Amino acid sequence: MEPINTRNAAAAARAYLALEWPLALGHRYRPEQGCTCGRTDCPIPGAHPGPGAGGLDETSLTAALESAPGAGLIAHTQRFDAVLVPRQVGMAAMVLLDRGTPVPCLIAHPDTYVLLVLPATGRYAVVDEAVEVRTGREGWIALPPSRGVRWDNPPWIEGTTEPRKLINGDQIRHTLADCFAVVRTGSLR
């Protein structure tokens, strides 16, 4: 089987649609002009929802991508919760989680790791004020090939299109707590 190419926007979008994730186009990043949102200080250029971005499906996908080259791919958090943690905590957590139950995880820009867990369970992973949870219809994440976003652990088992099973946010709670302790104090609890 050919690996899923998340550098190709159409191939990546089809893979996300196969997971039944609600997709929309985000803003675009334009070299030397910045983000199409117009903010000169945009913290995540080209990797956040665009205005009135409608949902993508198999029939609208090609036309939408052709009309907005370089637009970010945005998934609304209805099929999962997104648990955002600082990079150092995320790196440490992924090392520990990969030993047991690998969790789909994105690296968003250089400073954030995004762990995907079962819907409505992300709140159980909040062990520190630095944890942000995005959930439900209003929550979102940018997906590869959006600018500055890449998979650490993709949402499908490597080399297949089989979805990786999501776990409950409670199952990553203790790992995150330990990782915050290590990052803050330099030692495990």
Side-chain angles (χ1 to χ4, degrees):
M1 163 166 263
E2 189 174 316
I4 295 168
N5 180 357
T6 57
R7 291 181 183 207
N8 176 306
R14 283 186 188 88
Y16 303 136
L17 288 172
L19 295 170
E20 299 180 359
W21 289 1
L23 282 186
L25 287 185
H27 280 282
R28 292 180 295 140
Y29 174 75
R30 301 165 301 178
E32 298 181 29
Q33 295 177 336
C35 187
T36 56
C37 72
R39 286 184 52 192
T40 56
D41 63 341
C42 179
I44 48 175
H48 60 99
L56 294 177
D57 58 29
E58 207 43 64
T59 57
S60 65
L61 176 65
T62 302
L65 291 172
E66 286 174 359
S67 70
L73 282 178
I74 305 300
H76 291 280
T77 54
Q78 293 165 253
R79 295 292 207 172
F80 54 82
D81 277 4
V83 179
L84 287 70
V85 297
R87 180 188 171 125
Q88 286 184 303
V89 172
M91 288 173 53
M94 291 311 297
V95 168
L96 296 173
L97 292 168
D98 280 348
R99 294 178 186 165
T101 306
V103 174
C105 177
L106 287 159
I107 300 171
H109 298 277
D111 300 329
T112 305
Y113 270 56
V114 182
L115 290 76
L116 306 184
V117 297
L118 286 168
T121 68
R123 66 184 183 271
Y124 301 121
V126 178
V127 296
D128 187 277
E129 64 186 22
V131 176
E132 176 187 348
V133 175
R134 293 183 184 169
T135 186
R137 214 177 269 276
E138 299 303 313
W140 62 272
I141 58 169
L143 299 169
S146 300
R147 184 173 185 268
V149 182
R150 67 180 174 86
W151 286 110
D152 182 10
N153 271 348
W156 45 81
I157 296 169
E158 198 166 327
T160 74
T161 56
E162 183 180 338
R164 198 178 290 278
K165 288 190 178 192
L166 297 178
I167 63 172
N168 191 300
D170 190 47
Q171 291 177 266
I172 64 171
R173 179 181 182 79
H174 297 294
T175 300
L176 289 179
D178 288 345
C179 293
F180 270 103
V182 167
V183 167
R184 294 233 163 91
T185 66
S187 65
L188 283 171
R189 289 184 190 175

